[in-house]
Structure formats: structure tokens, C-alpha cells
Amino acid sequence: MKNIREIALEEHHDFVGAKMGMWLFLLTELILFTGLFILYAMYRVRHAAEFHAAATELDVVIGTINTLVLLTSSLTVAVGIEALKRRNRKLAKWMVLLTVLFALTFLVNKYFEWSAKIHHGIFPGADELLSRSQGEIIYFNLYYAMTGLHGLHVLVGMGILLWVYFLIARKPSEKVVVAPPNIEYLKGAQLIASKGEQESWVIDEIKDDVVEVEVVIKKDPKKAGVDIPNIIKLENAGLYWHLVDIIWIFLFPLFYLIT
Amino acid sequence: MASHAIDVQNAQENYLEVKGRWSGILSWIFSTDHKRIGILYLVSIAFFFIVAATIGIFMRLEQLTMGPTLMKPEVYNRLFTLHGVIMIFLFIIPGIPAILGNFFLPIQIGAKDVAFPRLNLLSWWLFMIGATLAILTLFLPGGLPDTGWTFYAPYSIRTGSEVSLAVFAAFILGFSSILTGLNFVTTVHRMRAPGMSFFRMPLFVWALYATAWIQILATPMVGITLLLIIVERLLNIGIFDPTQGGDPILYQHLFWIYSHPAVYIMILPGFGVISEIIPTFSRRTIFGYKLIAFSSLSIAIFGSLVWAHHMFVSGQSDLANIIFSFLTFFVAIPTAIKVFNWVATLYKGSIRFEPPLLFALSSIFLFSIGGFTGLMQATLPINVHIHDTYFVVGHFHYTMFGGTIWALIAGILYWFPKITGKMYNKKWIYGAWALMFIGFNTLYGAMMYMGWKGMPRRYYDHLPEFHTDHVIATVGSWFLYTGILVLVSTLIYALYRGAKADANPWGGTTLEWKTSSPPPLENFEKEPVVEHEPYYHEEAIR
């Protein structure tokens, strides 16, 4: 006789725990960028006019396109998660792939943007840049540091999404797994029998007057084609992707729109 | 022994005997068992401690005489940097959480393991990779960094020593620390046994919980700061370089936003250990449980708001100085709450004097000296006078070494029978204690004294007027070092030849004492159900 919580633990299926860990990790990522935002704020206060002048040299059109690309990619990954939750593996696969493509578009745009700047002699340590005012030098140094670190996160996000894509693309296992909302809902329940594709559970912690409730979990042949752990993996990957998105939402106005 | 201790001796294979997928050393370095990972950390961290302590001995030997006798100034600079980097990043920050926390946090809340066992193993691997990179700088052309452990810009940007690699190593170690913190927070929230409410958790768990939050919230800040040093050195992206409009003071701010809370990462778990030991050896429940628990959290919160007290002479504004000085005094309040509650717990307790209690009480005593001298330094006028002198060196060794390391030793002595199933020779431990206690106070007391007289820190040489003090300090360091070696040898001897230990040799009341020594692979025969507060003594043993 095993407690459902124990089964969940053995199979590493504490979905709430997994998500909590992910949120904590995102918090650390936010603070990582906070350091840069603090530096940006301090230097901007000191060199407000030079920051404005330097910002005019950035290409607002490419910046806007990239913002739209990232925002749309957040939508596609969200649709992908919902699709997988509804057991639509095919749609989920396409959506994740689309997200990866958007990420790639973003990086390609960034590449052209950076190379144009570097072509004009505006890169850290270049004589052209160092001949300018201190405020402009620090603006472009921050620009490269912050968009560079963000670009690195886009790259990592792409990698994670691709990994989850291959997990989803794999043929799902035949094993019957209790769906995550049920595991949470049935906390404290005991498994009393398990037979083939049908499992029976007895719950002892619903209300005081309820002594026994039987829940029969059947596999729906149409919806069975999803490995439950992949849902939480995609969801966590999606959370990471939203973080990458949200940081760009702040970078865009701070560098492009302050003219 | 406490009557309600469940006797599960020999019922299940203990974690040291279990045969897994791997054997030999692989069964350790690839194990996801939190207990084995705790021991991995113990062995690796103890190794780094001895290395850094030996470096300390060499620094003291240089100061035994005047002039460059043993080493040149450059070598001295590199040695105090290495001593600091190893002691801080490789020893004292991971220290208690990674060793004792890993081993006992899951057991104390009645769980089988931490929330993310594989991530836990990854943390140890990252730790070892970071350590390897840090030591690798020794063999590269630039050699060991010579900046001091703080890597202050702009010197860290200009120096030819291998700062980039050392800083990258610190970044990786920070990542390892973050993952441990993340793991602990999730474990505390998700893995508690039935009946283990937040206010039934042992205070060690509370301390680790508060520490884990600082690890999560503060470490990324130093991460980005260190990354910026690297990009500034490698890619010339000047953020702190004054010639490119950068401001080195901002580096100091960002650095201390992490590194001051980091001292609470170091000390809070030590307080947690003491809060476990005191009730066990007083045979009564802890006095002021909730206050101790909340004081951990409030130290974590206040401690995050005082970083600029490291920068009183950096040229920041007087207003900032006054605010940070004022806030620094606040940290003393929750700390004093803990000390008073420990003393109140001892009062009229049925005290059994054993080695863990001896080390715990010494830790409180030494930390109090460190704490009071800390308040002196929080006072602006005094700070200007003693800034960057040996007084500061003495002060932080009293807090970090006296507070944390003595608590760590107390914790290892307290839980040694549980971890290994063996008992050590107590007489040798008392001997080691005497050597360490005398050596410690001679060494760091002398440092404080000469610092007060004006001896600056980080100098490889000294003026004749400080000579006697330096000789006294160096002699003290020999006592201290010998004491540490006696302690370590006694424990290693006990590992092989020690008497078999009971499941509960001290009469402890928390969950780890209700399972066998050493614990089985999944910690308990069956999931424990918690019905009491953690320090519930059914009967006092006299």
C-alpha cells in the first residue's frame, strides 16, 4: 500500500515542487539582470543628455521588429503548453518549433544590428567609440553588455525549447500516470488496487463525513498520447522563455525609445 | 535514552552499505542520496579548509620576522587572496548548509531526500569544477590573482594575474550555491512529513531556510558583478573603468550587495546548529522558539540592507554613511535575541557537558566578541580610524571562524555518531578544544590589539613597534593549527576504530535521532508522523 505522495516522489512527479523550483530560478535570473539595470540607472542619471544622443543611433525599426517577434514567440509557446495539456501533441510540437524559429529570427536580426554598429566602429574598446564623450561610451558598453547577456539567454532558451521539442516528439510511453491536478487533489490518498489500464484509489482526506471515495482512472485512447512529465517540462521551458521576453520588454525602451 | 525513540537497528541496510548501480568511489560521486552528497561536501570542504589554513600559517610565518624573509610582497599578496578565496567561496559559504544541511535537512523534516536529488549532485559537481578552475590559476602564466578576495575594480581589470579565471570560478561556485538554496527552499515547502508544520520544524531547518533565501536572492548580484569583470578584461566592455566613464565605487556597491548578506549565509546555519545543541544538552525545550525562528529571517532581511558599511571611507555620501551605520546596529537586535534565548534555555536546564556543547558555547562566546567589535566598526568615527587595519581582520575571524567554524565543529561532533555510527574519543576532543581556544584568542586577540594601534591589513611587512604583537599572533597560530590537526585526526581515528554509537547517544528529540545510526537509505523505516514541537523532552535524563 503506497501513499500517492510517495508514488509521486518516487517518479519525481512533484509538479508543484518542480514549478516552484523554476520560479525560484527565474527570480535569480531577474536579480542577475537587476544588477545591470541598477548600473544603467546610475549612469543614466549622470549622463542623461549623452544617453539620449547615443540612443538616436540605434535602429528603432529593427528593435520594434524584434520586440514583435519575441512577443509573438511568447504567444506560440503559451499555445503550445495549452495544446499539450489538452493532449494535442501535434499542435504542441508545431508551436514549440515555431517558437524556436522566432528565437532564431531574433538572433539573426540582432546579428545584423550588431555588425552594422561594429562596422561603424562602435564597439567596446574601438578608437571611434573611445573618442566620444564618457556618457556615450558607457551607454554603448552597457548596450553590448545587456543585449549580449540577453542574447545569451535567448540562445539558452532555444536550446531548452529544442530539448523539450524532442521529448514531446518521442513516442509516449504506455504507462498510466495520474494527471497532475489529480495528484494534488488526491493528497493523502492510498492506492488500493491497480489492474491493467484501470486503477482504483481510496481517498481518506476529503471531508470528515466521507469515509471512502472510489476514483476510477481510465485512459482515454484519444488523449493518451502524452507523457505527463513533458507537460511540466514544457511549462517550465515556457516560463523561462517568458522571462527572456520580459527582460527584452525592458531593454527595448531603455535603449531604443529614450531619444 | 528518550523512551519514544523508535528502535529500528539493523532493520534496513544503512546508507553506507547499500549497493547501488555503481561501486567504489563512483558510488559516491554519482550518488543522488543527500547523505552521501553531504559527505562528499564534507571531505572536499575539509580538504580546502586545511589547504587554506596552511596558507594562513605561512602568512603568519612571514610576519614572524621583519623584512622579506620567507616570501616577496607579490607572493604575500597572492597568498592572502588565495587564503580569502578558498576560505570564503570554497569553505565557509558552502560549509554548514552543504555538509550538515544536506545530510540533516531532509531527515529533520521527515523526508526521504531533497526535492531535486539530481540537481543536488549537480551542485557538488559545479562546486568541484569551480574549485578546480580556481586552483588552475596557480599553473597559468599570470599566476594566482593578487587582488584580495574582493576583486576590487579597477585593479582587478588591470592586473596581469589570472583574475578572469578565478572570477569565473567564483561565478560557478555561486551558481552551485544558488542551486543548493533553491533545492532547500523547495524541500522545506514540499517535503515535510505529515504533522511537520512550519512551527514544528527544528530551528536548524529554519536557519537553513533563511540562509537558502539569501543564497537565492543575493548570489545572482555577485554573479553579474563578476561576469562584468570578465567581460571588461576580455572584451574591453568598460563598465567600471574610469577612463571609459565607469565608476569603481559602483563595483563596490554591487559586490557588497551580495557579499555582505553572504556573511549571514555563513553565520545563520551556525546559529541553527547551536539552537539544536543547546536544548539537547540542557534536557529542556528551547526558550523562545518562534523568536529564534523569526530572528533568522529578520537577520536575513536586515543583513541585506547594510552592505555599504564596508565603504565608509570610499567617498560615498555622508547621508549614505549615516543610514548604513544606523541600519547596521539593527542587525545586532535579532542576533542578541538568539543569544539571550540560548542562555535562557540553559538556565535551570539539566545540563550534560559534552564536546558538542563545549564547542557550541565557545562559539557563542567568540561570536559575541566578534559581534561587539562589529558594532564598534559600525560606528562611523571609530570606523574611519580602524578601517583596513588588523582590527578588521581580527573582528571577522572572531565572527566567521569563532562563530561559524566553531559551530560547524560543534555540529560535526554532535552529529558524528549519527553520520558514521561511531563515537569518538572525548578526551582527545577536549585536548583539541584547549589548544584551539588558547591559540585562537592569542592569534586573533593579538591581531585586534595591533590593529587598534594602527597595523594596516594586507601588508607583507611591519614596523618594529608591531613586532612583539606579530610574534605573539604567530605563536597563537601554531597552537590553533595543532588543535585543528588533533581534532581532525581524532575524528578520522574514530571513523575506523571508534566504539559503536547508539541511535540516540545524546538524548536528542528531533527526527534524526529517531532513526538508526547511520540512517537507512530512505532515512526512516516508515514515514514519521510528527505530534510534538521539535524539542519535546518526555523525561529529563539526569
Side-chain angles (χ1 to χ4, degrees):
Chain A
M1 294 260 258
K2 275 182 174 174
N3 193 295
I4 286 196
R5 244 165 55 146
E6 286 175 354
I7 296 170
L9 279 180
E10 275 168 18
E11 309 205 340
H12 297 285
H13 286 177
D14 183 5
F15 297 103
V16 178
K19 227 169 172 177
M20 185 185 269
M22 191 65 201
W23 275 105
L24 289 172
F25 179 70
L26 294 185
L27 197 59
T28 68
E29 287 277 13
L30 266 185
I31 295 165
L32 189 79
F33 276 95
T34 303
L36 285 168
F37 283 117
I38 291 174
L39 287 170
Y40 176 93
M42 291 308 296
Y43 287 128
R44 170 128 176 243
V45 168
R46 284 182 204 176
H47 308 286
E50 283 129 312
F51 265 51
H52 283 242
T56 55
E57 290 182 39
L58 292 188
D59 193 336
V60 184
V61 178
I62 295 191
T64 314
I65 292 174
N66 262 350
T67 309
L68 288 176
V69 165
L70 271 195
L71 279 177
T72 320
S73 73
S74 256
L75 174 71
T76 50
V77 79
V79 171
I81 293 165
E82 198 50 43
L84 201 62
K85 276 185 180 167
R86 297 180 186 196
R87 309 295 189 270
N88 189 340
R89 204 152 63 93
K90 204 175 156 197
L91 182 62
K93 260 164 60 181
W94 275 113
M95 283 297 149
V96 174
L97 207 58
L98 208 56
T99 314
V100 173
L101 284 178
F102 277 128
L104 200 63
T105 315
F106 178 90
L107 286 178
V108 169
N109 275 343
K110 204 87 223 141
Y111 169 76
F112 284 120
E113 212 184 345
W114 274 30
S115 12
K117 279 275 155 306
I118 290 169
H119 187 70
H120 288 112
I122 299 178
F123 59 92
D127 294 336
E128 158 68 17
L129 182 61
L130 290 178
S131 66
R132 299 189 178 201
S133 69
Q134 289 202 330
E136 283 185 71
I137 301 175
I138 212 84
Y139 172 88
F140 280 109
N141 283 343
L142 277 173
Y143 167 75
Y144 278 105
M146 292 174 88
T147 56
L149 187 65
H150 177 260
L152 211 61
H153 278 77
V154 174
L155 210 62
V156 171
M158 264 175 74
I160 294 173
L161 285 169
L162 271 177
W163 170 64
V164 178
Y165 173 81
F166 285 114
L167 286 182
I168 302 171
R170 265 199 326 218
K171 200 167 164 276
S173 59
E174 305 278 310
K175 214 166 64 184
V176 179
V177 184
V178 182
N182 290 339
I183 283 188
E184 269 318 292
Y185 181 66
L186 296 177
K187 227 179 213 176
Q190 285 184 313
L191 176 63
I192 57 158
S194 171
K195 204 164 119 192
E197 294 215 324
Q198 196 174 313
E199 293 188 34
S200 310
W201 309 76
V202 175
I203 304 172
D204 53 16
E205 283 185 356
I206 298 184
K207 268 182 195 165
D208 289 353
D209 53 338
V210 179
V211 186
E212 258 192 16
V213 174
E214 227 179 65
V215 179
V216 180
I217 298 165
K218 280 187 189 169
K219 252 171 115 178
D220 181 339
K222 275 186 214 153
K223 294 178 179 175
V226 169
D227 274 336
I228 307 297
N230 283 344
I231 297 179
I232 192 68
K233 285 194 179 105
L234 180 59
E235 223 173 330
N236 278 345
L239 279 175
Y240 185 84
W241 192 248
H242 292 318
L243 173 96
V244 171
D245 196 12
I246 215 162
I247 285 169
W248 179 256
I249 297 295
F250 282 93
L251 289 181
F252 177 57
L254 287 180
F255 282 106
Y256 292 79
L257 301 181
I258 57 165
T259 50
Chain B
M1 300 301 109
S3 63
H4 56 285
I6 301 160
D7 187 31
V8 285
Q9 294 283 353
N10 304 325
Q12 210 184 48
E13 275 187 319
N14 72 50
Y15 77 103
L16 295 168
E17 294 165 342
V18 168
K19 297 269 181 294
R21 221 169 113 197
W22 312 90
S23 61
I25 183 115
L26 295 183
S27 70
W28 288 88
I29 62 175
F30 291 132
S31 170
T32 53
D33 178 12
H34 67 101
K35 297 182 285 302
R36 287 195 169 212
I37 293 174
I39 291 182
L40 280 180
Y41 271 114
L42 174 64
V43 174
S44 31
I45 287 175
F47 170 74
F48 295 127
F49 173 65
I50 297 293
V51 169
T54 311
I55 294 170
I57 284 289
F58 277 109
M59 282 154 63
R60 284 319 312 162
L61 278 178
E62 168 58 32
Q63 300 283 11
L64 188 62
T65 51
M66 281 181 284
T69 37
L70 195 64
M71 59 186 82
K72 291 186 195 128
E74 301 81 44
V75 179
Y76 190 81
N77 282 357
R78 288 167 203 261
L79 284 192
F80 73 64
T81 305
L82 191 65
H83 174 81
V85 167
I86 295 183
M87 281 298 192
I88 302 255
F89 292 113
L90 291 176
F91 173 64
I92 203 162
I93 287 183
I96 298 179
I99 301 170
L100 297 173
N102 249 324
F103 202 105
F104 289 104
L105 176 113
I107 305 184
Q108 284 199 323
I109 60 172
K112 283 181 182 171
D113 208 317
V114 291
F116 310 113
R118 278 178 293 181
L119 205 62
N120 203 13
L121 181 63
L122 176 69
S123 303
W124 181 77
W125 275 97
L126 286 175
F127 174 78
M128 290 312 281
I129 291 170
T132 313
L133 290 180
I135 289 163
L136 205 61
T137 57
L138 186 63
F139 304 104
L140 291 177
L144 292 167
D146 54 355
T147 56
W149 78 277
T150 49
F151 303 115
Y152 269 11
Y155 183 66
S156 59
I157 297 159
R158 300 283 166 76
T159 175
S161 56
E162 297 291 343
V163 168
S164 303
L165 191 63
V167 157
F168 186 62
F171 178 81
I172 295 198
L173 292 170
F175 202 55
S176 156
S177 173
I178 287 177
L179 292 182
T180 304
L182 187 154
N183 218 335
F184 283 2
V185 168
T186 315
T187 307
V188 168
H189 278 281
R190 300 292 306 162
M191 311 277 287
R192 280 168 290 127
M196 177 62 79
S197 63
F198 257 77
F199 288 114
R200 281 182 186 166
M201 291 194 314
L203 288 164
F204 182 53
V205 177
W206 268 102
L208 287 172
Y209 181 71
T211 310
W213 272 110
I214 315 178
Q215 284 174 303
I216 292 171
L217 295 175
T219 317
M221 200 55 106
V222 83
I224 188 65
T225 317
L226 297 178
L227 278 184
L228 286 174
I229 289 284
I230 297 175
V231 296
E232 195 146 347
R233 284 179 67 89
L234 298 184
L235 305 173
N236 214 349
I237 304 185
I239 305 277
F240 302 118
D241 184 356
T243 58
Q244 298 193 35
D247 184 351
I249 300 292
L250 278 178
Y251 172 85
Q252 296 187 17
H253 273 292
L254 288 193
F255 181 81
W256 288 112
I257 285 177
Y258 162 75
S259 297
H260 193 75
V263 310
Y264 302 102
I265 296 179
M266 304 172 200
I267 193 67
L268 276 179
F271 288 164
V273 170
I274 295 171
S275 303
E276 291 300 306
I277 290 174
I278 299 250
T280 298
F281 292 96
S282 314
R283 297 288 171 279
R284 53 173 297 199
T285 188
I286 192 97
F287 186 88
Y289 171 90
K290 280 192 181 176
L291 273 175
I292 293 184
F294 285 127
S295 67
S296 287
L297 290 181
S298 61
I299 288 177
I301 293 164
F302 282 126
S304 303
L305 301 173
V306 300
W307 74 86
H309 69 211
H310 293 268
M311 302 162 57
F312 284 159
V313 298
S314 72
Q316 64 181 352
S317 74
D318 285 342
L319 181 67
N321 278 349
I322 291 165
I323 292 172
F324 279 107
S325 166
F326 179 72
L327 286 172
T328 304
F329 284 104
F330 266 93
V331 186
I333 297 172
T335 316
I337 287 175
K338 280 182 193 285
V339 174
F340 289 136
N341 279 324
W342 292 329
V343 175
T345 308
L346 289 165
Y347 181 66
K348 287 194 175 171
S350 172
I351 296 174
R352 204 165 83 179
F353 220 76
E354 299 275 8
L357 184 67
L358 180 63
F359 272 87
L361 293 180
S362 316
S363 170
I364 298 174
F365 173 76
L366 297 173
F367 183 81
S368 299
I369 296 177
F372 282 123
T373 51
L375 288 179
M376 286 165 71
Q377 289 168 79
T379 319
L380 281 171
I382 300 182
N383 186 288
V384 175
H385 174 70
I386 54 179
H387 202 94
D388 265 350
T389 66
Y390 264 61
F391 190 82
V392 182
V393 181
H395 153 75
F396 70 70
H397 279 92
Y398 263 97
T399 52
M400 298 292 99
F401 194 163
T404 309
I405 302 182
W406 285 68
L408 170 65
I409 296 170
I412 288 175
L413 293 173
Y414 180 52
W415 281 309
F416 187 86
K418 179 55 65 183
I419 296 173
T420 62
K422 301 283 175 62
M423 184 54 92
Y424 43 80
N425 183 328
K426 292 173 189 171
K427 277 186 188 135
W428 280 94
I429 299 288
Y430 289 129
W433 175 87
L435 281 170
M436 284 177 71
F437 194 77
I438 294 166
F440 184 96
N441 286 297
T442 316
L443 171 57
Y444 301 116
M447 279 192 180
M448 270 194 194
Y449 176 68
M450 69 177 111
W452 188 255
K453 289 199 302 186
M455 173 73 207
R457 68 189 283 201
R458 291 182 170 173
Y459 282 28
Y460 85 105
D461 199 4
H462 54 264
L463 294 171
E465 66 217 72
F466 300 115
H467 188 61
T468 317
D469 309 328
H470 273 294
V471 172
I472 292 172
T474 304
V475 172
S477 74
W478 298 336
F479 276 89
L480 182 57
Y481 196 72
T482 316
I484 293 170
L485 292 184
V486 171
L487 183 91
V488 173
S489 330
T490 309
L491 291 182
I492 292 176
Y493 181 81
L495 197 59
Y496 294 100
R497 300 278 167 79
K500 204 171 172 333
D502 294 335
N504 191 359
W506 314 117
T509 54
T510 39
L511 282 180
E512 76 270 27
W513 302 113
K514 293 173 187 173
T515 185
S516 52
S517 300
L521 181 65
E522 296 191 326
N523 297 342
F524 300 96
E525 281 292 286
K526 61 175 193 182
E527 193 178 28
V529 176
V530 182
E531 282 154 354
H532 296 295
E533 47 105 8
Y535 309 108
Y536 178 81
H537 286 268
E538 267 178 11
E539 48 176 330
I541 297 161
R542 286 166 209 282

